[in-house]
Amino acid sequence: MREDDSDWFARWEEELPSPEELMPLSQSLISPDLALAFDIRSPVHGNGNSGQPHHHHQSTPPTPSQLQLPSSQANSSAEFAADSADLGSGAAGDEPARTLKRPRLVWTPQLHKRFVDAVAHLGIKNAVPKTIMQLMSVDGLTRENVASHLQKYRLYLKRMQGLSSGGGAGSDPATDRLFASSPVPAHFLHPNRVPSSDHFMPSFVPIATLQQQQQMAAAAAAAAAAAANPHLQPPQFHHRQIAAAHFGSPTNGQFNSPTSNGQFNSPTTTNGKFDPSFLARQTQPLHRMSTPSLHSPVGNYSEDLESANANGGRTVLTLFPTRDD
DNA sequence: GAGTCAATAT
DNA sequence: GATATTGACT
C-alpha cells in the first residue's frame, strides 16, 4: 500500500546524518563563504585533508609506512585521492598507464546506500548500470563496478522476496550484511505495481564546489525532480546532502572492520598539505554526464587508495566519505 | 553498444 | 570471501 511508501519516505531523512555528523568532506570542497551560506558547519579543520596520495601502485610495492596505521587516528580523515582522470580515463596522466589497473572497489555501506538511493530514484525498471553510475556520480566508479554490484543486489532482493513470501530461502550472511546496511525500499520487493511516485527526490543534493555549481545543481535537481514527479513536491534542499556520513548503519554499525578487507586509510603520503589541484577536478565528473536531466554530479566521495599487503600487492579503492572522527 | 546472467578468475 | 572479468545471449 502506499503506507509502505510514505513510511519509507518519511524515514529517509531520519537516516541521514545530522549536520553535525556530516563529514568535512564538503568543507574541504566548499569555500568558507559557501559553507556559511549553506549553513554547513565545520567541526574540524585541523585535520589535514592532505590530499595527495599518489596511487601509482601499478606494480609499486606499498611502503610499509603507508600500511601502518596508528589505529587510533589514522583513517579518520582520508581525503580525496585519485584523480578521476587517473582512475577513470586511465589515459591522461604523466605516464602511459595504458594498462593501469583500477584498484578494487570496496563497497562500503555508504557507497551502497548511495547505490540504493540511485536505484530507488530511478525506479527499478530504469535502474541500469550506466544510469545508476551516472546518478551516483562517484568518480572512479565504473559501469562495470555498478553492474557487478547490481547483479549481486538483485540476487539479494530475490532472496528477500523469497523469504517474505513464505519460502525458506537461505541467507548469505556475508553479502547480506552489506545489503542490509541500507534499507530496501518497499517497492523493490514488489515489482508488481509501481507507485505513481515511481521515484522521488530525496535529499540527493550534490555538494558543488563552486557557488554557481551549487546553485545550478540545486536548480537543475529541483527541475529534474519536478519534471520527474509532477505530483510530488521535491524535498527541500538543505545541507544534509550526502547521505553517507555515518559509519554506523541504521541496522548495524560494524563494518569498518579492518579484518575483512584490510583497507584502512593510509596516512596519506608524506604530504600534509592541501593540494588545490584536486579542486580542479571537481568539475570533471560533469564531463561524463551526458544527460542533463540527471542530477548534477559531484565528486563528493573521498577515494582512499590503499595498496594491500601480503596478498600479492592487491590494491583497494575505497570510495566513501570518510569521517568517523 | 548496453544489459542480464552464470561461471570463473583474482 | 568479495569483487572483477568473461562469455553467451538478448
Side-chain angles (χ1 to χ4, degrees):
Chain A
M1 322 290 196
R2 67 170 195 212
E3 264 188 18
D4 291 336
D5 212 49
S6 58
D7 189 40
W8 182 75
F9 187 99
R11 277 179 305 178
W12 219 98
E13 286 200 290
E14 293 174 11
E15 290 161 13
L16 297 178
S18 62
E20 295 82 49
E21 291 173 327
L22 279 178
M23 78 211 59
L25 202 163
S26 52
Q27 275 91 33
S28 333
L29 305 180
I30 301 180
S31 70
D33 281 339
L34 185 55
L36 257 180
F38 283 82
D39 193 22
I40 299 174
R41 292 120 180 250
S42 46
V44 221
H45 311 342
N47 80 52
N49 261 347
S50 43
Q52 206 144 68
H54 46 260
H55 43 285
H56 296 101
H57 39 255
Q58 187 173 357
S59 53
T60 320
T63 20
S65 60
Q66 281 183 318
L67 297 177
Q68 288 177 2
L69 2 142
S71 79
S72 55
Q73 50 144 246
N75 69 356
S76 35
S77 55
E79 43 331 279
F80 334 92
D83 302 331
S84 56
D86 271 25
L87 289 169
S89 355
D94 23 24
E95 283 297 317
R98 43 171 175 259
T99 37
L100 247 187
K101 267 203 208 161
R102 287 173 170 276
R104 166 178 292 237
L105 174 70
V106 175
W107 284 92
T108 65
Q110 287 76 23
L111 191 54
H112 174 65
K113 184 174 198 310
R114 201 170 175 84
F115 166 85
V116 172
D117 288 344
V119 173
H121 304 156
L122 288 168
I124 309 254
K125 50 177 187 180
N126 294 333
V128 295
K130 192 177 182 179
T131 319
I132 296 173
M133 177 196 75
Q134 291 174 144
L135 231 193
M136 290 177 72
S137 72
V138 172
D139 56 341
L141 190 66
T142 67
R143 195 187 69 87
E144 284 75 20
N145 290 142
V146 176
S148 183
H149 192 67
L150 180 60
Q151 187 172 8
K152 256 187 111 187
Y153 187 58
R154 281 173 173 155
L155 289 175
Y156 168 75
L157 290 181
K158 206 168 257 179
R159 282 207 310 274
M160 294 300 283
Q161 291 187 50
L163 279 178
S164 62
S165 6
S171 59
D172 275 326
T175 54
D176 280 9
R177 232 183 303 196
L178 201 220
F179 292 138
S181 70
S182 290
V184 176
H187 44 278
F188 276 28
L189 301 176
H190 308 290
N192 306 322
R193 215 279 190 210
V194 216
S196 58
S197 52
D198 203 356
H199 39 267
F200 46 78
M201 181 56 176
S203 23
F204 215 57
V205 182
I207 303 177
T209 312
L210 307 172
Q211 278 192 2
Q212 291 178 353
Q213 273 188 21
Q214 177 70 273
Q215 291 169 353
M216 286 177 58
N229 314 308
H231 307 107
L232 276 179
Q233 291 253 349
Q236 39 180 326
F237 300 107
H238 49 42
H239 43 275
R240 344 170 73 168
Q241 35 253 32
I242 299 316
H246 39 133
F247 257 74
S249 85
T251 41
N252 60 45
Q254 47 194 322
F255 339 76
N256 26 357
S257 66
T259 53
S260 58
N261 44 29
Q263 37 105 6
F264 274 114
N265 301 333
S266 64
T268 314
T269 80
T270 57
N271 189 348
K273 285 240 176 145
F274 178 84
D275 181 6
S277 72
F278 84 93
L279 282 175
R281 85 175 164 82
Q282 290 308 314
T283 60
Q284 283 189 357
L286 278 167
H287 296 161
R288 73 156 174 245
M289 296 288 295
S290 51
T291 348
S293 56
L294 291 172
H295 306 292
S296 36
V298 60
N300 44 27
Y301 281 83
S302 71
E303 301 166 10
D304 177 25
L305 296 174
E306 168 102 352
S307 306
N309 39 39
N311 208 357
R314 198 200 234 160
T315 338
V316 172
L317 166 62
T318 309
L319 299 152
F320 68 104
T322 46
R323 179 79 212 124
D324 70 336
D325 182 358

